[in-house]
Amino acid sequence: MRMITGLLASSLLSLPALCAAQTIDEALLAAQMAYQQADGQSGQSALRLKSAESALTQAQQRLADAQNAVTRAESELSAAKSAEEVARRRLAASADSLKSAWARKERTN
């Protein structure tokens, strides 16, 4: 009986230690799972950041290309306006010369 009592007492004394060990194991497991989740989220955030940086770089390049295209288009528009003005003046001068030539022809007839 004394042995049973000692065994029972020993078991009862180790019960809090088992409960504490289970609680510590559960806490360790919970902490490990939380770490793994945070690590996964950190990895996803790093990928998202890299993707966003890449998208920004591409957008900035497209913007620079578009600004260069606008500059080229403005330059071409200016050159086209100048060429149109020169052509209009030549046409007006040619029309005047043609009228003068017809007038001379009519006077000679």
Side-chain angles (χ1 to χ4, degrees), residues 17-36:
L18 288 174
C19 289
Q22 188 176 12
T23 303
I24 290 172
D25 286 344
E26 287 175 352
L28 178 61
L29 179 60
Q32 186 175 6
M33 290 173 65
Y35 173 82
Q36 288 173 342

Side-chain angles (χ1 to χ4, degrees), residues 44-105:
Q44 289 173 351
S45 294
L47 289 174
R48 183 178 177 194
L49 176 62
K50 193 172 202 171
S51 176
E53 288 171 340
S54 177
L56 176 62
T57 299
Q58 289 175 351
Q60 288 171 333
Q61 184 59 51
R62 286 193 305 270
L63 176 60
D65 291 344
Q67 289 171 330
N68 289 336
V70 167
T71 300
R72 286 190 304 271
E74 287 173 339
S75 178
E76 176 59 24
L77 178 61
S78 178
K81 284 180 178 180
S82 295
E84 192 272 337
E85 180 63 27
V86 167
R88 194 173 52 76
R89 287 182 187 162
R90 285 184 185 160
L91 180 60
S94 294
D96 289 345
S97 293
L98 182 59
K99 283 181 187 178
S100 295
W102 276 107
R104 280 192 306 272
K105 178 168 173 65

